[in-house]
Amino acid sequence: MSEQINMIELVEHIAGATKADAKLIEQVLKHEQTFINSAQEDKNGEVNIDSDELVDYILGRPGLKTDELTVERILDAEMDYLMDKGIAGYID
């Protein structure tokens, strides 16, 4: 993702869609970024992220007090935002 993402706008979008606390959203997004940064690229230079593995990774972080459904909703709302902005999409 080379495009700039307005993090305040993103967190506000996710909070509006999920009713989750902004601090929780920021924690989830931080752990998500760590997971993505450590993922291996394939021969085409692309990174494929398994959403179940991502959610499990996030839920396994110390100090994170939430449940699986909330994490999934946060990640779904983030993806909706990124797709609306033309920054990301799903691979079939």
Side-chain angles (χ1 to χ4, degrees):
M1 272 186 259
S2 59
E3 293 84 356
Q4 276 294 83
I5 297 171
N6 181 331
M7 290 304 291
I8 295 170
E9 184 179 283
L10 173 60
V11 171
E12 287 174 354
H13 170 83
I14 294 170
T18 65
K19 307 299 183 233
D21 178 70
K23 295 241 186 255
L24 173 63
I25 294 167
E26 291 169 358
Q27 281 184 303
V28 168
L29 296 178
K30 181 185 87 170
H31 293 312
E32 175 194 30
Q33 193 60 52
T34 301
F35 182 86
I36 291 170
N37 290 342
S38 66
Q40 299 295 315
E41 292 182 354
D42 65 15
K43 63 182 174 160
N44 298 323
E46 296 177 353
V47 176
N48 293 315
I49 303 296
D50 180 281
S51 61
D52 291 332
E53 289 177 12
L54 174 59
V55 170
D56 289 344
Y57 173 84
I58 292 169
L59 289 171
R61 300 302 89 203
L64 189 70
K65 306 283 188 223
T66 191
D67 57 73
E68 183 175 350
L69 185 58
T70 301
V71 171
E72 288 175 352
R73 286 181 178 160
I74 289 169
L75 296 175
D76 287 345
E78 177 197 25
M79 185 56 109
D80 290 344
Y81 174 87
L82 296 175
M83 288 173 51
D84 287 347
K85 297 290 183 181
I87 298 171
Y90 291 104
I91 298 174
D92 292 327

